[in-house]
Amino acid sequence: MTENTVTAPKKIIFSGMQPTGYPTLGNYLGAIKNWGALQEEYDCLYCIVDMHAITVRQDPAQLRKNAKNLLALFIACGLDPEENILYMQSQYHGHAELSWILNCYTYMGELGRMTQFKEKSAKNEANINTGLFTYPVLMAADILLFGTALVPVGDDQRQHLELSRDVAMRFNNIYGDVFTVPEAYIPKSGARIMSLTEPTRKMSKSDEENSYVSLMDAPDAVIRKFKRAVTDSDMEIRYDQAEKPGISNLLEIYANACGISIDAAVAEFEGKGYGHLKTTVGEAVVGNIIEPVQGRFAEISKDAAYLDEIMKKNAQRAAQIGERVLKKVKKKVGFVV
């Protein structure tokens, strides 16, 4: 007789993205492209964080459209909505409920130190609302609600993850082992794609239009943006992030778009000029990423009933996981459950 083996439960990964315009090439190569490979090893929740989005005034109809488009784009980029939980934050009440409870265990001084609050307040002086200040608490609720073990984060979100950890440990010290204390997930592979106009800064859709490539940019616009990319004056194509950040960024993009190593990319452009490099990188991005993703997106977004069913089903799947933690928290703090 053979003994029955018990498979250990998979760790949970949680990540969220705001539906404020389409993801950039940087979002795709640095994160989304690699998410699909995680489903074999982890239980993955990818949340469209529309509740976070309203800290800045939104047109309601446009916000709904953007959220559904982002869902369709996730699927177009290769995320299977059956293997992963792709859902809308606002469709599961647990995010808001846990956020309020965690507000009562988070200190004003902690939130006042958040650099993103300072930056967003400077950009939105006419609307410095409480949501901007407590945004990191809602993010902590997003993460802690599901017993999340790992969170893929960029440098700009590490401070928020640390707050989530601090709040989880504070709550656990009072009430016992309630929350899983999350760790940062460092992917085995994943590019850090920089701005095309300021290659020492991460690519961001909040910067000026020529600095980033959107996954929904027209192909000719993508080529044009790459032709305008900032390089340097010595005309040598080599990978050197410190001395040649613009060229290094283009090589990184090309290598990832073509599925080759940086060394292979450098060898391919040996003896070539910057103009050739920029055009070739743009064409590779269009042919290998932009056109295939946009083609799949066009097909998926036509089927409104399919997307509605995914949203409904996956909100229920998220709730099934989140309710276990939420009920435990509510009982611990003294609510009638």
Side-chain angles (χ1 to χ4, degrees), residues 137-156:
V137 183
L138 178 55
M139 184 178 290
D142 297 338
I143 295 166
L144 300 179
L145 185 56
F146 300 106
T148 302
L150 298 166
V151 184
V153 289
D155 292 338
D156 56 338

Side-chain angles (χ1 to χ4, degrees), residues 119-132:
E119 292 170 359
K120 289 186 176 184
S121 297
K123 292 180 180 178
N124 297 278
E125 291 183 356
N127 182 29
I128 304 176
N129 57 70
T130 310
L132 276 175

Side-chain angles (χ1 to χ4, degrees), residues 165-305:
R165 289 172 50 80
D166 290 343
V167 173
M169 288 186 284
R170 182 176 301 140
F171 196 94
N172 287 352
N173 286 338
I174 299 170
Y175 298 108
D177 187 17
V178 178
F179 291 123
T180 300
V181 180
E183 303 281 349
Y185 173 75
I186 309 301
K188 296 173 184 175
S189 63
R192 179 174 169 80
I193 303 303
M194 313 304 282
S195 164
L196 296 181
T197 56
E198 295 182 67
T200 56
R201 288 164 46 93
K202 189 176 177 181
M203 182 179 284
S204 171
K205 60 188 174 188
S206 62
D207 292 335
E208 67 95 7
E209 188 176 355
N210 285 318
S211 69
Y212 68 91
V213 170
S214 164
L215 289 182
M216 295 305 290
D217 276 346
D220 59 343
V222 175
I223 300 294
R224 186 168 61 250
K225 288 180 180 183
F226 274 103
K227 285 182 176 179
R228 294 174 177 173
V230 169
T231 50
D232 54 53
S233 58
D234 76 3
M235 300 308 292
E236 182 185 359
I237 297 176
R238 72 177 192 276
Y239 190 79
D240 184 336
Q241 290 180 311
E243 298 296 326
K244 300 175 76 67
I247 294 299
S248 298
N249 190 41
L250 292 174
L251 290 168
E252 182 101 30
I253 292 170
Y254 185 74
N256 277 274
C258 296
I260 62 176
S261 68
I262 295 290
D263 288 344
V266 171
E268 191 170 325
F269 291 106
E270 185 177 359
K272 303 291 196 305
Y274 284 179
H276 175 78
L277 170 67
K278 294 179 183 182
T279 300
T280 305
V281 174
E283 289 173 348
V285 168
V286 168
N288 297 341
I289 299 173
I290 300 297
E291 289 180 336
V293 167
Q294 290 182 7
R296 290 191 292 270
F297 173 82
E299 290 299 315
I300 294 164
S301 58
K302 287 177 186 175
D303 195 341

Side-chain angles (χ1 to χ4, degrees), residues 13-32:
I13 281 184
F14 177 93
S15 188
M17 187 173 290
Q18 288 197 40
T20 49
Y22 294 107
T24 68
L25 178 66
N27 298 138
Y28 175 77
L29 292 178
I32 300 172

